[in-house]
Amino acid sequence: MRGITKKSRGELIVLSGPSGVGKSTVIAELLSNRRDIHFSVSYTTRSPRVGEADGVNYNFVTREEFERMIANNELLEYAQYVDNYYGTSLKVIQEKLEQGVDVLLDIEVQGAATVREKCPEAVLIFIIPPSLEELSRRLYTRNTDAPEIIAQRLEKARSECKESLMYDYLVVNDTVMSAAQEIQAILEAECCRVHKRAHLVKRIVGE
Ligand code: 5GP
């Protein structure tokens, strides 16, 4: 954090994008350059995939536990996505933002719409593939889904991309490096908004 430009409150950053766009890889690249950003580990009712660890990729919980969290208003937002619940814990995020730490959420479009409503100052970034053909190629290369599932994912990707119009920024994942750099540039610019630096003006004009 840099001297007089140190923030009193962190930025809430939302990143969304269709399945297969390479969001996780872009996030990993971004976080390796910006170690000060806190990545919010979501809660989900889906089962862990191979290589995923509880508390690292997600907090894996039962449906009952998730519904208890909803009833107790413990979630900033949540959504049902392909038969499972996904949600963001309010407590951790509030603590981090109040400490001046930037918080990154990797969430789908319904959750992003809730964040927009509840936290209008959040920065919403949508990642798109260079083309639908390229997304299709990536999904086939990944080799994890049958052709009919890939067709469903591509259809869903099209409808998700339409939702990108409510976001603040659009990043094309042409290469992981360039996408991560664009996101860093967005975050730098966001910090320089006049209303976020009003205290610096006050120091000079003395009011
Ligand atoms: P996956 O099952 O592939 O890990 O994630 C499916 C989708 O759920 C992705 O689009 C991901 O961004 C989204 N997601 C992950 N965590 C959350 C969350 O806490 N809230 C919402 N609304 N979506 C989430």
Side-chain angles (χ1 to χ4, degrees):
M1 210 62 84
R2 288 157 287 173
I4 59 161
T5 56
K6 186 178 185 305
K7 295 180 293 193
S8 56
R9 197 173 163 77
E11 300 280 352
L12 184 57
I13 309 150
V14 170
L15 221 64
S16 305
S19 166
V21 78
K23 218 174 6 159
S24 312
T25 322
V26 171
I27 289 176
E29 174 65 22
L30 174 71
L31 296 180
S32 73
N33 297 330
R34 285 282 316 268
R35 293 182 187 275
D36 56 314
I37 295 178
H38 172 80
F39 178 72
S40 162
V41 179
S42 295
Y43 285 77
T44 185
T45 57
R46 87 150 162 73
S47 311
R49 294 187 186 127
V50 176
E52 285 185 335
D54 190 29
V56 177
N57 307 87
Y58 283 103
N59 295 300
F60 295 99
V61 293
T62 60
R63 251 190 129 72
E64 293 69 41
E65 174 64 5
F66 200 99
E67 283 167 357
R68 189 198 59 73
M69 293 177 82
I70 298 173
N72 289 348
N73 289 323
E74 290 175 25
L75 300 173
L76 167 66
E77 62 72 37
Y78 70 93
Q80 292 230 30
Y81 184 91
V82 196
D83 299 337
N84 283 299
Y85 279 126
Y86 294 83
T88 306
S89 159
L90 188 56
K91 188 166 174 277
V92 179
I93 291 192
Q94 267 174 343
E95 281 169 9
K96 293 287 173 191
L97 293 176
E98 278 162 20
Q99 289 162 8
V101 175
D102 294 342
V103 176
L104 177 66
L105 310 184
D106 166 357
I107 62 176
E108 51 67 65
V109 293
Q110 303 165 62
T114 307
V115 173
R116 167 108 297 168
E117 247 177 67
K118 291 192 177 173
C119 316
E121 75 290 354
V123 183
L124 271 60
I125 306 173
F126 197 90
I127 307 189
I128 54 164
S131 65
L132 209 57
E133 291 70 32
E134 175 58 20
L135 184 63
S136 167
R137 199 191 60 74
R138 286 179 192 176
L139 286 172
Y140 275 104
T141 315
R142 201 161 72 170
N143 210 15
T144 50
D145 297 305
E148 56 276 19
I149 301 286
I150 293 184
Q152 280 173 21
R153 284 182 185 266
L154 286 173
E155 200 35 54
K156 188 153 180 62
R158 276 171 61 110
S159 64
E160 283 175 331
C161 284
K162 283 189 201 149
E163 302 296 323
S164 66
L165 297 176
M166 69 138 181
Y167 284 68
D168 300 307
Y169 295 96
L170 194 69
V171 166
V172 180
N173 186 14
D174 208 346
T175 70
V176 170
M177 205 72 90
S178 67
Q181 275 168 3
E182 280 194 357
I183 295 172
Q184 274 179 259
I186 291 166
L187 301 181
E188 290 274 326
E190 279 294 325
C191 289
C192 302
R193 283 187 180 274
V194 172
H195 74 272
K196 291 179 185 166
R197 291 194 156 171
H199 61 291
L200 300 181
V201 180
K202 267 192 201 151
R203 283 163 58 105
I204 291 168
V205 300
E207 284 166 18

